[in-house]
Amino acid sequence: AQSVSQHNHHVILSEAASLELGCNYSYGGTVNLFWYVQYPGQHLQLLLKYFSGDPLVKGIKGFEAEFIKSKFSFNLRKPSVQWSDTAEYFCAVTRNTGKLIFGQGTTLQVKP
Amino acid sequence: NAGVMQNPRHLVRRRGQEARLRCSPMKGHSHVYWYRQLPEEGLKFMVYLQKENIIDESGMPKERFSAEFPKEGPSILRIQQVVRGDSAAYFCASSPQGDGNQPQHFGDGTRLSIL
């Protein structure tokens, strides 16, 4: 079945550690890729998106993601996390209708 | 302020009652999407609407659930005869286009609890 998979369900890091969250999708053809973040009790906010062009995408708050077409992956990275990055992170894909297909989400807990 | 307004933020219903969730998209957005987030799960697409039209309802349960987006007023997600399994967070998102080439903006969600 076509899907979006996030490998890590729960990640615990200390401040200043580096972060990489995995995301793979199984759709063929052209896709648009997104990472959203949901801070506790808040709505989803867009971190970054990839539509075309440079496969290394920079987003807000120091996050970046790399689209690797051959691996069907769109992993999220941040060199040095902060306590305020504690949140749930969702990878998502759209095709031509705009509906988002989400991964299961990854809960990131950053210890001060 | 996300721009997409959902109300109520919290809704409590008893089994068998009806739940109505409202969503006003961002100004200038005519495409509305509803998603459901069950406990310990990711968001699942339910329905995609444009003004007065349902474009894609492939994620809607076959019974008890309906959605509309009238010419005037907010989009409504309606759940009839609610059951415990309907307890979830329901998120609305809007977009200026429906082709996937614009990111969606999300509301704060409605947390539905069924007693």
Coordinates of all heavy atoms in Angstrom, one line a residue, chain A residues 26-111:
Chain A
S26 N 6.3 5.7 -0.3 CA 6.2 4.6 -1.3 C 5.5 5.0 -2.6 O 5.1 4.1 -3.3 CB 5.6 3.4 -0.6 OG 4.3 3.7 -0.3
Y27 N 5.3 6.3 -2.8 CA 4.6 6.7 -4.0 C 5.6 6.9 -5.2 O 6.6 7.4 -5.0 CB 3.9 8.1 -3.8 CG 2.9 8.0 -2.7 CD1 3.2 8.3 -1.4 CD2 1.5 7.7 -3.0 CE1 2.2 8.3 -0.4 CE2 0.6 7.6 -2.0 CZ 0.9 7.9 -0.7 OH 0.0 7.9 0.3
G28 N 5.1 6.4 -6.3 CA 5.9 6.7 -7.5 C 5.6 8.0 -8.1 O 4.6 8.6 -7.7
G29 N 6.4 8.5 -9.0 CA 6.0 9.7 -9.7 C 6.4 10.9 -8.9 O 7.1 10.9 -7.9
T30 N 5.8 12.0 -9.3 CA 6.1 13.3 -8.7 C 5.4 13.5 -7.4 O 4.2 13.3 -7.4 CB 5.8 14.5 -9.6 OG1 6.5 14.3 -10.9 CG2 6.2 15.8 -9.0
V31 N 6.1 13.9 -6.4 CA 5.4 14.1 -5.1 C 6.0 15.4 -4.5 O 7.0 15.9 -4.9 CB 5.7 13.0 -4.0 CG1 5.0 11.7 -4.5 CG2 7.2 12.8 -3.8
N32 N 5.2 16.1 -3.7 CA 5.6 17.2 -2.9 C 5.8 16.7 -1.4 O 5.0 15.9 -0.9 CB 4.6 18.3 -2.9 CG 4.5 18.9 -4.3 OD1 5.4 18.9 -5.1 ND2 3.3 19.4 -4.6
L33 N 6.8 17.1 -0.8 CA 7.2 16.6 0.5 C 7.2 17.7 1.6 O 7.7 18.8 1.3 CB 8.5 15.9 0.5 CG 8.6 14.7 -0.5 CD1 10.0 14.5 -1.0 CD2 8.1 13.5 0.3
F34 N 6.8 17.4 2.8 CA 6.7 18.4 3.8 C 7.1 17.8 5.2 O 7.0 16.5 5.4 CB 5.2 18.8 4.0 CG 4.5 19.3 2.8 CD1 4.0 18.5 1.9 CD2 4.4 20.7 2.6 CE1 3.4 19.0 0.7 CE2 3.8 21.2 1.4 CZ 3.3 20.3 0.5
W35 N 7.6 18.6 6.0 CA 7.7 18.3 7.4 C 6.9 19.4 8.2 O 7.1 20.6 8.0 CB 9.2 18.3 7.9 CG 9.9 17.1 7.7 CD1 10.7 16.8 6.6 CD2 9.9 15.9 8.5 NE1 11.2 15.5 6.7 CE2 10.7 14.9 7.9 CE3 9.3 15.6 9.7 CZ2 11.0 13.7 8.5 CZ3 9.5 14.3 10.3 CH2 10.4 13.4 9.7
Y36 N 6.1 18.9 9.1 CA 5.3 19.7 10.0 C 5.7 19.4 11.4 O 6.1 18.3 11.8 CB 3.8 19.4 9.9 CG 3.1 20.1 8.6 CD1 3.1 19.4 7.4 CD2 2.5 21.3 8.8 CE1 2.5 20.0 6.3 CE2 1.9 21.9 7.7 CZ 1.9 21.2 6.4 OH 1.2 21.8 5.4
V37 N 5.6 20.4 12.3 CA 5.9 20.3 13.7 C 4.6 20.6 14.5 O 3.9 21.6 14.1 CB 7.1 21.1 14.1 CG1 6.8 22.6 13.9 CG2 7.4 20.9 15.6
Q38 N 4.4 19.9 15.6 CA 3.2 20.2 16.4 C 3.8 20.3 17.9 O 4.1 19.3 18.5 CB 2.2 19.1 16.3 CG 0.9 19.4 17.1 CD -0.1 18.2 16.9 OE1 0.2 17.1 16.7 NE2 -1.4 18.6 17.1
Y39 N 3.9 21.6 18.3 CA 4.3 21.8 19.7 C 3.1 21.4 20.6 O 1.9 21.5 20.2 CB 4.7 23.2 19.9 CG 5.9 23.6 19.1 CD1 5.8 24.3 17.9 CD2 7.2 23.1 19.5 CE1 6.9 24.6 17.2 CE2 8.3 23.4 18.7 CZ 8.2 24.1 17.5 OH 9.3 24.4 16.8
P40 N 3.4 21.1 21.9 CA 2.3 20.6 22.8 C 1.1 21.6 22.8 O 1.3 22.7 23.1 CB 3.0 20.5 24.1 CG 4.4 20.2 23.8 CD 4.7 21.0 22.5
G41 N -0.1 21.1 22.5 CA -1.3 21.9 22.6 C -1.5 22.8 21.5 O -2.4 23.7 21.5
Q42 N -0.6 22.8 20.5 CA -0.7 23.8 19.4 C -1.1 23.1 18.1 O -1.1 21.9 17.9 CB 0.6 24.5 19.2 CG 0.9 25.4 20.4 CD 2.1 26.3 20.2 OE1 2.4 26.6 19.0 NE2 2.8 26.7 21.2
H43 N -1.3 23.9 17.1 CA -1.6 23.4 15.7 C -0.4 23.0 15.0 O 0.7 23.4 15.4 CB -2.4 24.5 14.9 CG -1.6 25.7 14.7 ND1 -1.6 26.8 15.6 CD2 -0.8 26.1 13.7 CE1 -0.8 27.7 15.2 NE2 -0.3 27.4 14.0
L44 N -0.5 22.3 13.9 CA 0.6 21.9 13.1 C 1.2 23.2 12.4 O 0.4 24.0 11.9 CB 0.2 20.9 12.0 CG 0.2 19.5 12.5 CD1 -1.0 19.2 13.2 CD2 0.4 18.5 11.3
Q45 N 2.5 23.2 12.4 CA 3.1 24.3 11.7 C 4.1 23.8 10.7 O 4.8 22.8 10.9 CB 3.9 25.2 12.7 CG 3.1 25.8 13.7 CD 4.0 26.5 14.8 OE1 5.0 27.2 14.4 NE2 3.6 26.4 16.0
L46 N 4.2 24.4 9.5 CA 5.1 24.0 8.5 C 6.6 24.3 8.8 O 6.9 25.4 9.1 CB 4.7 24.7 7.2 CG 5.6 24.3 6.0 CD1 5.3 22.8 5.6 CD2 5.3 25.2 4.8
L47 N 7.4 23.3 8.8 CA 8.8 23.4 9.0 C 9.6 23.7 7.7 O 10.4 24.6 7.6 CB 9.5 22.2 9.7 CG 9.5 22.0 11.2 CD1 10.2 20.7 11.5 CD2 10.3 23.2 11.8
L48 N 9.3 22.9 6.7 CA 9.9 23.1 5.4 C 9.1 22.2 4.4 O 8.3 21.3 4.8 CB 11.4 22.7 5.5 CG 11.8 21.4 6.2 CD1 11.5 20.2 5.3 CD2 13.3 21.4 6.6
K49 N 9.4 22.5 3.1 CA 8.8 21.8 2.1 C 9.7 21.6 0.9 O 10.7 22.4 0.7 CB 7.5 22.5 1.6 CG 7.8 23.9 1.0 CD 6.6 24.7 0.7 CE 6.9 26.0 0.0 NZ 7.5 27.0 0.9
Y50 N 9.5 20.6 0.1 CA 10.2 20.3 -1.1 C 9.2 20.1 -2.2 O 8.4 19.2 -2.2 CB 11.1 19.1 -1.0 CG 11.8 18.8 -2.3 CD1 12.9 19.5 -2.7 CD2 11.3 17.8 -3.1 CE1 13.5 19.3 -4.0 CE2 11.9 17.5 -4.4 CZ 12.9 18.3 -4.8 OH 13.5 18.0 -6.0
F51 N 9.4 20.9 -3.3 CA 8.6 20.7 -4.5 C 9.4 20.3 -5.6 O 9.1 19.4 -6.4 CB 7.8 22.0 -4.8 CG 6.7 22.3 -3.9 CD1 6.1 23.6 -3.9 CD2 6.2 21.4 -3.0 CE1 5.1 23.9 -3.0 CE2 5.2 21.7 -2.1 CZ 4.6 23.0 -2.1
S52 N 10.5 21.0 -5.8 CA 11.5 20.7 -6.9 C 12.7 21.5 -6.7 O 12.8 22.3 -5.7 CB 10.9 21.0 -8.3 OG 10.6 22.4 -8.3
G53 N 13.8 21.2 -7.5 CA 15.0 22.0 -7.4 C 16.0 21.3 -6.5 O 16.1 20.1 -6.4
D54 N 16.7 22.2 -5.8 CA 17.8 21.7 -4.8 C 17.2 20.8 -3.8 O 16.3 21.1 -3.1 CB 18.3 22.9 -4.1 CG 19.6 22.6 -3.3 OD1 19.8 21.4 -3.0 OD2 20.3 23.5 -2.9
P55 N 17.7 19.5 -3.8 CA 17.1 18.5 -2.9 C 17.4 18.8 -1.4 O 16.9 18.1 -0.6 CB 17.8 17.2 -3.4 CG 19.1 17.7 -4.0 CD 18.8 19.0 -4.6
L56 N 18.3 19.7 -1.1 CA 18.6 20.1 0.3 C 17.8 21.3 0.6 O 18.0 22.4 0.0 CB 20.1 20.3 0.5 CG 20.5 20.6 1.9 CD1 20.2 19.4 2.8 CD2 22.0 20.9 2.0
V57 N 16.8 21.2 1.5 CA 15.9 22.2 1.7 C 16.1 22.8 3.1 O 16.3 22.0 4.1 CB 14.4 21.7 1.6 CG1 13.4 22.8 1.9 CG2 14.2 21.1 0.3
K58 N 16.1 24.1 3.3 CA 16.3 24.7 4.6 C 15.0 25.2 5.0 O 14.2 25.9 4.2 CB 17.4 25.8 4.5 CG 18.8 25.2 4.2 CD 19.9 26.2 4.5 CE 21.2 25.6 4.2 NZ 21.5 24.4 5.0
G59 N 14.7 25.0 6.3 CA 13.4 25.5 6.8 C 13.6 26.4 8.0 O 14.7 27.0 8.1
I60 N 12.6 26.6 8.8 CA 12.6 27.5 9.9 C 13.4 26.9 11.1 O 13.5 25.6 11.1 CB 11.2 27.9 10.4 CG1 10.4 26.7 10.8 CG2 10.5 28.7 9.2 CD1 9.1 27.1 11.5
K61 N 13.8 27.7 12.0 CA 14.4 27.2 13.3 C 15.6 26.3 13.1 O 15.9 25.5 13.9 CB 13.4 26.5 14.1 CG 12.1 27.4 14.4 CD 11.2 26.8 15.3 CE 10.0 27.8 15.5 NZ 9.0 27.3 16.6
G62 N 16.3 26.5 12.0 CA 17.6 25.7 11.8 C 17.4 24.3 11.3 O 18.4 23.6 11.2
F63 N 16.2 23.9 10.9 CA 16.0 22.6 10.4 C 16.2 22.6 8.9 O 16.1 23.6 8.2 CB 14.5 22.2 10.6 CG 14.2 21.8 12.0 CD1 13.8 22.8 12.9 CD2 14.3 20.5 12.5 CE1 13.5 22.4 14.3 CE2 14.1 20.2 13.8 CZ 13.6 21.1 14.7
E64 N 16.7 21.4 8.4 CA 16.8 21.2 7.0 C 16.4 19.7 6.7 O 16.3 18.9 7.6 CB 18.3 21.4 6.6 CG 19.3 20.5 7.2 CD 20.7 20.8 6.7 OE1 21.0 21.9 6.4 OE2 21.5 19.8 6.6
A65 N 16.2 19.5 5.4 CA 15.8 18.1 5.0 C 16.4 17.9 3.6 O 16.6 18.8 2.8 CB 14.3 17.9 5.0
E66 N 16.7 16.6 3.4 CA 17.3 16.2 2.1 C 16.4 15.2 1.4 O 16.1 14.2 2.0 CB 18.7 15.6 2.3 CG 19.4 15.3 1.0 CD 20.8 14.9 1.1 OE1 21.3 14.5 2.3 OE2 21.5 14.8 0.1
F67 N 16.1 15.5 0.2 CA 15.3 14.6 -0.6 C 16.2 13.8 -1.4 O 17.1 14.3 -2.2 CB 14.4 15.5 -1.6 CG 13.7 14.7 -2.6 CD1 12.9 13.6 -2.3 CD2 13.8 15.0 -4.0 CE1 12.2 12.9 -3.3 CE2 13.2 14.3 -5.0 CZ 12.4 13.2 -4.6
I68 N 16.1 12.5 -1.2 CA 16.9 11.5 -2.0 C 15.9 10.7 -2.8 O 15.3 9.7 -2.3 CB 17.8 10.7 -1.1 CG1 18.7 11.5 -0.3 CG2 18.7 9.7 -2.0 CD1 19.7 10.8 0.7
K69 N 15.8 11.0 -4.1 CA 14.8 10.4 -4.9 C 15.0 8.9 -5.0 O 14.0 8.1 -4.9 CB 14.8 11.0 -6.3 CG 13.6 10.6 -7.1 CD 13.6 11.4 -8.4 CE 12.3 11.0 -9.3 NZ 12.3 11.7 -10.6
S70 N 16.2 8.4 -5.2 CA 16.5 7.0 -5.4 C 16.2 6.2 -4.1 O 15.9 5.0 -4.2 CB 18.0 6.8 -5.7 OG 18.8 7.3 -4.6
K71 N 16.1 6.8 -3.0 CA 15.8 6.1 -1.7 C 14.4 6.4 -1.3 O 14.0 5.9 -0.2 CB 16.8 6.5 -0.6 CG 18.3 6.1 -0.9 CD 19.2 6.4 0.3 CE 20.6 5.9 0.0 NZ 21.5 6.2 1.2
F72 N 13.7 7.2 -2.0 CA 12.3 7.6 -1.6 C 12.4 8.2 -0.2 O 11.5 7.9 0.7 CB 11.3 6.5 -1.7 CG 11.2 5.9 -3.1 CD1 12.0 5.0 -3.7 CD2 10.1 6.4 -3.9 CE1 11.8 4.6 -5.0 CE2 9.9 6.0 -5.2 CZ 10.8 5.1 -5.7
S73 N 13.4 9.0 0.1 CA 13.5 9.5 1.5 C 13.5 11.0 1.6 O 13.9 11.7 0.6 CB 14.8 8.9 2.1 OG 15.9 9.5 1.6
F74 N 13.1 11.5 2.7 CA 13.1 12.9 3.0 C 13.4 13.1 4.5 O 12.5 13.5 5.3 CB 11.8 13.5 2.6 CG 11.7 15.0 2.6 CD1 12.6 15.8 1.8 CD2 10.7 15.7 3.3 CE1 12.6 17.2 1.8 CE2 10.6 17.1 3.3 CZ 11.6 17.8 2.5
N75 N 14.6 12.9 4.9 CA 15.0 12.9 6.3 C 15.2 14.4 6.8 O 15.8 15.2 6.1 CB 16.3 12.1 6.5 CG 16.1 10.6 6.3 OD1 14.9 10.2 6.0 ND2 17.2 9.9 6.3
L76 N 14.8 14.6 8.0 CA 14.8 15.9 8.7 C 16.1 15.9 9.5 O 16.4 14.9 10.3 CB 13.6 16.1 9.5 CG 13.5 17.4 10.3 CD1 13.3 18.6 9.3 CD2 12.4 17.4 11.3
R77 N 16.8 17.0 9.5 CA 18.0 17.1 10.3 C 18.1 18.5 11.0 O 17.5 19.5 10.5 CB 19.3 17.0 9.5 CG 19.3 15.6 8.8 CD 20.7 15.4 8.2 NE 21.0 16.3 7.1 CZ 21.2 15.9 5.8 NH1 21.0 14.6 5.5 NH2 21.5 16.8 4.9
K78 N 18.8 18.5 12.1 CA 19.2 19.7 12.8 C 20.5 19.5 13.5 O 20.6 18.5 14.3 CB 18.1 20.2 13.8 CG 18.4 21.6 14.4 CD 17.2 22.1 15.2 CE 17.6 23.5 15.7 NZ 16.4 24.2 16.4
P79 N 21.5 20.3 13.3 CA 22.8 20.1 13.9 C 22.8 20.1 15.4 O 23.6 19.3 16.0 CB 23.7 21.2 13.3 CG 22.9 21.8 12.2 CD 21.5 21.5 12.5
S80 N 22.0 21.0 16.0 CA 22.1 21.1 17.5 C 20.7 21.5 18.0 O 20.2 22.6 17.8 CB 23.1 22.3 17.8 OG 23.1 22.5 19.2
V81 N 20.1 20.5 18.7 CA 18.7 20.7 19.1 C 18.7 21.5 20.4 O 19.7 21.6 21.2 CB 18.0 19.4 19.3 CG1 17.8 18.7 18.0 CG2 18.7 18.5 20.4
Q82 N 17.5 22.2 20.6 CA 17.3 23.0 21.8 C 16.1 22.4 22.6 O 15.3 21.7 22.0 CB 17.0 24.4 21.5 CG 18.2 25.1 20.7 CD 17.8 26.5 20.2 OE1 16.7 26.6 19.7 NE2 18.6 27.4 20.5
W83 N 16.0 22.7 23.9 CA 14.9 22.2 24.7 C 13.6 22.6 24.0 O 12.6 21.8 24.0 CB 15.0 22.8 26.1 CG 13.8 22.4 26.9 CD1 13.6 21.2 27.6 CD2 12.7 23.2 27.3 NE1 12.5 21.2 28.3 CE2 11.9 22.5 28.1 CE3 12.4 24.5 26.9 CZ2 10.7 23.0 28.6 CZ3 11.2 25.1 27.4 CH2 10.4 24.3 28.3
S84 N 13.5 23.8 23.4 CA 12.3 24.3 22.8 C 11.9 23.5 21.5 O 10.8 23.7 21.0 CB 12.4 25.7 22.4 OG 13.5 25.9 21.5
D85 N 12.8 22.6 21.1 CA 12.4 21.7 19.9 C 11.6 20.5 20.3 O 11.1 19.8 19.4 CB 13.7 21.2 19.2 CG 14.4 22.4 18.5 OD1 13.8 23.3 18.0 OD2 15.7 22.3 18.5
T86 N 11.4 20.4 21.6 CA 10.5 19.3 22.1 C 9.1 19.4 21.4 O 8.4 20.4 21.6 CB 10.4 19.3 23.6 OG1 11.7 19.0 24.2 CG2 9.4 18.3 24.1
A87 N 8.7 18.4 20.7 CA 7.5 18.5 19.9 C 7.3 17.2 19.2 O 8.1 16.3 19.3 CB 7.5 19.6 18.9
E88 N 6.2 17.1 18.4 CA 5.9 16.0 17.6 C 6.2 16.4 16.1 O 5.7 17.5 15.7 CB 4.5 15.4 17.7 CG 4.3 14.1 17.1 CD 3.2 13.2 17.7 OE1 2.4 13.8 18.5 OE2 3.2 12.0 17.4
Y89 N 6.8 15.6 15.4 CA 7.2 15.9 14.0 C 6.6 14.9 13.0 O 6.6 13.7 13.2 CB 8.8 15.9 13.9 CG 9.4 17.0 14.7 CD1 9.6 16.8 16.0 CD2 9.8 18.1 14.1 CE1 10.2 17.8 16.8 CE2 10.4 19.2 14.8 CZ 10.6 19.0 16.2 OH 11.2 20.0 16.9
F90 N 6.0 15.5 12.0 CA 5.3 14.7 11.0 C 5.8 15.0 9.6 O 6.0 16.1 9.2 CB 3.8 15.1 11.0 CG 3.0 14.7 12.2 CD1 2.8 15.7 13.2 CD2 2.5 13.5 12.4 CE1 2.2 15.4 14.4 CE2 1.8 13.1 13.6 CZ 1.6 14.1 14.6
C91 N 6.1 13.9 8.9 CA 6.5 13.9 7.5 C 5.2 13.7 6.7 O 4.3 13.0 7.2 CB 7.5 12.8 7.3 SG 8.0 12.7 5.6
A92 N 5.1 14.4 5.6 CA 3.8 14.2 4.8 C 4.1 14.4 3.3 O 5.1 15.0 2.9 CB 2.8 15.3 5.2
V93 N 3.3 13.8 2.5 CA 3.4 13.8 1.1 C 2.1 14.2 0.5 O 1.0 13.9 1.0 CB 3.7 12.4 0.6 CG1 3.6 12.3 -0.9 CG2 5.1 12.0 1.1
T94 N 2.2 15.0 -0.6 CA 1.0 15.3 -1.4 C 1.3 14.9 -2.9 O 2.5 14.9 -3.3 CB 0.5 16.7 -1.4 OG1 1.5 17.6 -2.0 CG2 0.2 17.2 0.0
R95 N 0.3 14.7 -3.6 CA 0.5 14.5 -5.1 C -0.3 15.5 -5.8 O -0.1 16.7 -5.5 CB 0.1 13.1 -5.5 CG 1.0 12.0 -4.7 CD 0.7 10.6 -5.1 NE 1.4 10.3 -6.3 CZ 1.0 9.3 -7.1 NH1 0.1 8.5 -6.7 NH2 1.7 9.0 -8.2
N96 N -1.2 15.2 -6.6 CA -1.9 16.3 -7.4 C -3.2 16.8 -6.8 O -3.8 17.7 -7.4 CB -2.1 15.8 -8.8 CG -2.8 14.5 -8.9 OD1 -3.3 14.0 -7.8 ND2 -3.0 14.0 -10.1
T97 N -3.7 16.2 -5.8 CA -4.9 16.7 -5.2 C -4.8 17.6 -4.0 O -5.7 18.2 -3.5 CB -5.9 15.6 -4.8 OG1 -5.3 14.8 -3.8 CG2 -6.2 14.7 -6.0
G98 N -3.6 17.6 -3.4 CA -3.3 18.4 -2.3 C -3.5 17.7 -0.9 O -3.1 18.2 0.1
K99 N -4.2 16.6 -0.9 CA -4.5 15.9 0.4 C -3.1 15.4 0.9 O -2.3 14.8 0.2 CB -5.5 14.8 0.3 CG -5.0 13.5 -0.4 CD -6.2 12.5 -0.4 CE -5.8 11.2 -0.9 NZ -6.9 10.3 -1.1
L100 N -2.9 15.6 2.2 CA -1.6 15.2 2.8 C -1.7 13.8 3.3 O -2.7 13.5 4.0 CB -1.3 16.2 4.0 CG -0.8 17.6 3.6 CD1 -1.0 18.5 4.7 CD2 0.7 17.5 3.2
I101 N -0.7 13.0 3.0 CA -0.6 11.7 3.6 C 0.5 11.8 4.6 O 1.7 12.0 4.2 CB -0.3 10.6 2.5 CG1 -1.3 10.7 1.4 CG2 -0.3 9.2 3.2 CD1 -2.7 10.4 1.8
F102 N 0.2 11.5 5.9 CA 1.1 11.7 6.9 C 1.8 10.4 7.4 O 1.2 9.4 7.3 CB 0.4 12.3 8.2 CG 0.1 13.8 8.1 CD1 -1.1 14.2 7.6 CD2 1.0 14.7 8.5 CE1 -1.4 15.5 7.5 CE2 0.7 16.1 8.4 CZ -0.5 16.5 7.9
G103 N 3.0 10.6 7.9 CA 3.6 9.5 8.6 C 3.0 9.4 10.0 O 2.2 10.2 10.4
Q104 N 3.5 8.4 10.8 CA 2.9 8.2 12.1 C 3.3 9.3 13.1 O 2.7 9.4 14.2 CB 3.3 6.8 12.6 CG 3.1 5.7 11.7 CD 4.3 5.4 10.8 OE1 4.9 6.3 10.2 NE2 4.7 4.1 10.7
G105 N 4.3 10.0 12.8 CA 4.8 11.1 13.7 C 6.0 10.5 14.6 O 6.1 9.4 14.9
T106 N 6.8 11.5 14.9 CA 7.9 11.2 15.8 C 7.9 12.2 17.0 O 7.9 13.4 16.7 CB 9.3 11.3 15.1 OG1 9.4 10.3 14.1 CG2 10.4 11.1 16.1
T107 N 7.8 11.7 18.2 CA 7.9 12.5 19.4 C 9.3 12.8 19.7 O 10.1 11.8 20.0 CB 7.1 11.9 20.5 OG1 5.8 11.7 20.1 CG2 7.1 12.8 21.7
L108 N 9.7 14.0 19.7 CA 11.1 14.4 20.1 C 11.0 15.0 21.5 O 10.3 16.0 21.8 CB 11.7 15.4 19.1 CG 13.0 16.0 19.6 CD1 14.1 14.9 19.6 CD2 13.5 17.1 18.6
Q109 N 11.8 14.5 22.4 CA 12.0 15.0 23.7 C 13.4 15.5 23.9 O 14.3 14.6 23.8 CB 11.6 14.0 24.8 CG 11.7 14.5 26.2 CD 11.3 13.4 27.2 OE1 10.9 12.3 26.9 NE2 11.5 13.7 28.5
V110 N 13.6 16.7 24.2 CA 15.0 17.3 24.4 C 15.2 17.6 25.8 O 14.4 18.4 26.4 CB 15.2 18.5 23.5 CG1 16.7 19.0 23.8 CG2 15.0 18.2 22.0
K111 N 16.2 17.0 26.4 CA 16.5 17.2 27.8 C 17.4 18.4 28.0 O 18.4 18.5 27.3 CB 17.1 15.9 28.4 CG 16.2 14.7 28.5 CD 16.8 13.5 29.1 CE 15.9 12.4 29.3 NZ 16.5 11.2 29.9

